[in-house]
Amino acid sequence: MSEIRIITGNEAAALAVTLCEPKVVAAYPITPQTKISELLSMYVETGTLKAEYVRVESEHSALTVLISASTVGARVFTATSSNGLLYMHEQLHWAAGSRLPIVMCCVNRGVGAPWSIFNDQQDSMSQRDTGWIQLYCRDNQEIIDTVIQAYRIAEQVYIPTMVCYDGFVLSHTMMPVEIPEAAQVKNFLPPYRPHTFLDPERPRTINPVFFPWRRENAEGVLCDGYMEMRYKLQRDFDTSLEVIEDVNVQYTDLFGRNYGGLIWEYQTGDADIFVTGMGSIAQEATLAVDALREEGIKIGVVGIRSFRPFPKEKLIHAFSRARIIIVFQKAISYGNEGGLSTEVKAALYGSGIDAPVHDYIAGLGGRDVKTRELIAAIRDTLERSGGGDCKNKTTWLNCHRG
Amino acid sequence: MYEIIWHGRGGQGVVLASEVLAEAAYLQGYKGVTSAPTFGPERRGAPLAASTRISHEPIRTFSQIEHADIAVVLDDSLFKVVDIWGRLKEGGIMVVNSSAPPAESSIVKKVMIIWIDAAAVAREHRLTAGGTPVVNTPLLGALVKGWNYIALENIEQGLAIKMAASGAYKNFQAVKSAFSKAVIREYRGTHA
């Protein structure tokens, strides 16, 4: 029997990792991630998790340890937040370019300067182009289930996967979580057997310098150049769209919980007004939708679970009847707009959907976002949309702009 | 949905009390429970809050509680430094630990007041930490006396989940004692 426990998001993540039985964990503590590294360290000390816990002096080293361990064929885990993730930046690219199925939790936190330990999603959003799959969770149940799914996805497509969830809002809030049974997780997630790994018995060179052209190796075999390697990573991201969906279906069959794969929808059946976002803010938006529906407004939420790969086709389908789209996001691409709005607009380009996409920046550095504030913002948007002048305007929700 | 804010000072155990209440509520059959600390750094002695949400349906809101149904005050000196009244709903419940019953003039909203000298209860049950009486768990007993949505035996089980058996036993004796000693002052108040 699976057990239900009332736990924080960080505890959910640490339990999920334990169930997935990585061989190496390396992490550097940083608020609000700290509890994961503490728990995993304890699980290793007490023998609950039979893994090597490598103490490191920085996040850059944490990921470097995992790159090495993954290269010799180990399943691995790390977690970080904010500036810790940014300090990993170089190695994020390296892990993805090396096609290592590393799984990491990013406990989303605002980026300094100025210092903030509080939640937004600027940290992971700013790592968009490092070649990692990014999945966002809306509650602690989804965290435990997504970490388990992440290993299956990563190991199938050889792309590292980041499981992102909102710092404090989820990482420090306790709620009931069903803990999957260990035997079932084993059934779902077979031991990691990489197609290629470094082994003293079979020496090989990994990641030599690549030239702009294709080139024959010592055996006379024509090998990929740098650009072919890049193409293959992008091609496998395309494949990962299907894999994320398949893994979700299989997970649902085994565990009975369905997260929608790439996106999830709430009350979208007859909706022509759509709210979209990632993580806990999208979950909060479902309450705004409940309230607005009582007034007869046909509104629904499309939650984006996978930011990379970006589910363009899914969104075109989900927004096919959209009259208005409202994006609430906890990050800003300076000099343009919220990055998620840009992505949504680009996905719709040429699709025939010409609904205005309203761009809202919310909750930066832990600024609280209440249901009533989302309701007011949606109402305000609907009123403005009546006037017709609503495109390309960014609104800073609940922010003093004097 | 019921929303409860626990007002205390760092070290008084507001987070633990909130967690025990969430566990007890879940055992009581509420499918939706959350317990959250004040987000951010915590310092011993500094004003601090924790919050509990209890609902029949899974909880989808993670924003801060604006106006609680119930305020539990572990340290009555906080009335001077924290806007405890401002964050409590009209018609709600105020549970206060203080050595004497709250003065009528201090009650500024139409709420039920549950008063308990939790420090005295803690001392009586030798429930102390570093010489200081532990008031968080006795307040759970006082709370459910006036707000009878959660049975004492579920508080007992909630304590057993969060602490070792001997501690849970001792704490539950204090909970029961506080339950019997708490004084309820029904809805009245100067603004009534």
Side-chain angles (χ1 to χ4, degrees), chain A residues 38-199:
Chain A
E38 285 176 359
L39 284 171
L40 289 174
S41 162
M42 185 182 79
Y43 295 156
V44 169
E45 286 302 314
T46 56
T48 311
L49 173 60
K50 288 177 181 50
E52 188 174 345
Y53 190 99
V54 183
R55 286 160 190 81
V56 286
E57 89 300 348
S58 75
E59 289 85 358
H60 188 281
S61 297
L63 191 50
T64 306
V65 165
L66 297 196
I67 287 169
S68 307
S70 186
T71 303
V72 297
R75 182 176 285 162
V76 298
F77 179 79
T78 190
T80 190
S81 296
S82 182
N83 288 55
L85 182 70
L86 308 192
Y87 195 23
M88 283 181 179
H89 177 76
E90 176 196 9
Q91 298 304 69
L92 291 175
H93 279 283
W94 197 270
S98 307
R99 306 302 301 271
L100 299 169
I102 296 168
V103 170
M104 150 160 37
C105 283
C106 175
V107 188
N108 289 115
R109 158 181 160 179
V111 166
W115 270 128
S116 171
I117 60 167
F118 300 97
N119 166 242
D120 66 39
Q121 296 174 346
Q122 190 76 20
D123 49 1
S124 53
M125 292 283 282
S126 74
Q127 302 308 304
R128 185 191 67 180
D129 295 337
T130 54
W132 283 61
I133 290 172
Q134 286 193 8
L135 305 173
Y136 288 77
C137 304
R138 72 201 104 138
D139 59 30
N140 296 356
Q141 186 70 58
E142 190 167 7
I143 294 170
I144 201 167
D145 294 328
T146 303
V147 168
I148 297 166
Q149 292 183 15
Y151 279 102
R152 266 288 296 275
I153 296 162
E155 290 169 9
Q156 200 163 329
V157 291
Y158 290 92
I159 298 175
T161 300
M162 205 182 287
V163 177
C164 306
Y165 57 91
D166 292 311
F168 289 107
V169 179
L170 297 180
S171 72
H172 285 57
T173 299
M174 292 192 156
M175 60 193 83
V177 173
E178 189 171 338
I179 317 296
E181 271 182 81
Q184 262 192 312
V185 175
K186 268 194 188 358
N187 189 13
F188 175 77
L189 181 70
Y192 174 47
R193 304 253 182 267
H195 60 52
T196 307
F197 58 95
L198 202 57
D199 178 359

Side-chain angles (χ1 to χ4, degrees), chain A residues 90 97 118 164 182 211 232 244 253 263 283 290 363 385:
Chain A
E90 176 196 9
F118 300 97
C164 306
F211 291 91
K232 283 181 173 172
I244 292 167
D253 288 347
I263 63 169
Q283 181 81 318
D290 287 349
S385 292

